[in-house]
């Protein structure tokens, strides 16, 4: 026997399909907080979360004729939310200023790979490092992975400390740019995880 909450939700969805705004408000009250918390874990901005939530529930209302009352509305809402967030990140990737702002927010507050396994995160990092020129990769690995000082790396590779600094600066810039381009793909992965897909 189905629980009364499932039966109630089905009745609410049928009413929404018929244009009942009070039923729509009940669905909103039931689901908006949980979705908002998960969206905040991804977007790190309550303003953005409110924008996405507003668009999400507008889409629910505008597409009410297509609601399948036999399926849980939560999965439907998460699918719409995922699409809206992916659209946001695609737009960000096309706008350099927004991409820089997003990179800054993510790097300070949230590691986009926290929701992905550590192995996948490490793989992504090393895949990016492998794209560095040979000497720059050596310098980067010695300084960042083996924690050697610029002076030690300078002596070991027989290059100046200024050259070590230049390699590290350029490697950091390359990795930042590389992750900027990877953000929309990473978002698909961890957004689905955050939204329970």
């Amino acid at each position: 026997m189905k629980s009364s909450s499932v039966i109630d939700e089905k009745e609410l969805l049928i009413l929404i399909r018929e244009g009942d705004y009070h039923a729509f408000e009940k669905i909103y009250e039931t689901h908006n907080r949980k979705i908002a918390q998960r969206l905040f874990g991804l977007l790190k901005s309550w303003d953005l979360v409110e924008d996405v939530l507003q668009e999400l529930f507008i889409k629910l209302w505008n597409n009410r004729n297509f609601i399948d009352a036999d399926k849980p509305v939560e999965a439907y809402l998460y699918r719409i939310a995922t699409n809206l967030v992916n659209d946001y990140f695609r737009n960000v990737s096309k706008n350099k200023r927004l991409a820089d702002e997003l990179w800054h927010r993510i790097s300070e507050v949230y590691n986009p790979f926290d929701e992905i396994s550590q192995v996948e995160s490490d793989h992504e990092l090393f895949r990016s490092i492998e794209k560095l020129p040979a000497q720059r990769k050596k310098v980067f690995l010695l300084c960042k992975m083996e924690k050697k000082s610029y002076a030690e790396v300078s002596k070991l590779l027989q290059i100046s400390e200024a050259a070590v600094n230049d390699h590290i600066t350029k490697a950091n810039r390359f990795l930042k740019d590389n992750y900027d381009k990877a953000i929309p793909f990473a978002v698909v992965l961890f957004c689905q995880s955050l939204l329970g897909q």
Side-chain angles (χ1 to χ4, degrees):
M1 182 175 169
K2 289 187 177 179
S3 71
S4 62
S5 65
V6 172
I7 294 167
D8 290 344
E9 183 175 272
K10 182 175 179 175
E11 289 170 3
L12 288 172
L13 293 175
I14 291 168
L15 289 170
I16 290 172
R17 269 197 330 220
E18 295 170 357
D20 187 320
Y21 194 74
H22 295 294
F24 172 79
E25 286 180 326
K26 284 190 183 290
I27 291 292
Y28 174 83
E29 288 168 10
T30 303
H31 296 283
N32 83 80
R33 282 194 185 97
K34 188 175 179 184
I35 294 171
Q37 288 171 342
R38 290 182 176 182
L39 286 171
F40 184 75
L42 178 63
L43 297 169
K44 293 300 178 189
S45 162
W46 285 114
D47 290 338
L48 288 174
V49 168
E50 287 193 20
D51 290 346
V52 171
L53 273 180
Q54 182 177 11
E55 197 169 343
L56 165 65
F57 283 98
I58 287 171
K59 280 185 181 290
L60 177 66
W61 179 254
N62 289 342
N63 296 308
R64 63 189 177 276
N65 295 332
F66 304 106
I67 293 173
D68 184 347
D70 293 320
K71 293 184 179 172
V73 73
E74 189 172 40
Y76 181 62
L77 292 172
Y78 286 158
R79 189 166 58 250
I80 295 171
T82 299
N83 291 336
L84 290 171
V85 170
N86 288 337
D87 288 346
Y88 168 75
F89 281 104
R90 268 192 290 276
N91 290 335
V92 165
S93 71
K94 293 175 187 171
N95 183 315
K96 179 71 172 132
R97 185 186 60 76
L98 282 177
D100 286 344
E101 181 182 318
L102 177 65
W103 173 260
H104 179 73
R105 187 185 317 142
I106 286 174
S107 63
E108 280 196 351
V109 182
Y110 184 76
N111 176 359
F113 296 104
D114 279 349
E115 298 298 326
I116 302 173
S117 76
Q118 189 61 46
V119 172
E120 288 173 302
S121 176
D122 291 346
H123 174 74
E124 181 66 24
L125 175 62
F126 283 105
R127 189 179 64 78
S128 300
I129 291 170
E130 283 302 315
K131 295 178 184 175
L132 293 169
Q135 183 77 339
R136 189 160 300 147
K137 182 170 73 172
K138 270 187 213 172
V139 171
F140 184 86
L141 291 173
L142 287 168
C143 288
K144 299 295 184 181
M145 302 298 174
E146 296 185 28
K147 306 291 186 196
K148 294 191 181 297
S149 69
Y150 284 16
E152 290 173 308
V153 173
S154 169
K155 189 173 182 181
L156 188 65
L157 298 179
Q158 297 181 342
I159 58 175
S160 69
E161 286 186 44
V164 172
N165 183 57
D166 184 59
H167 280 301
I168 292 297
T169 301
K170 288 177 178 170
N172 285 337
R173 188 177 308 128
F174 172 81
L175 293 173
K176 176 181 177 276
D177 290 344
N178 188 34
Y179 280 115
D180 275 348
K181 291 173 187 150
I183 281 171
F185 175 71
V187 165
V188 171
L189 296 175
F190 72 91
C191 177
Q192 289 173 347
S193 171
L194 282 172
L195 295 176
Q197 299 295 305

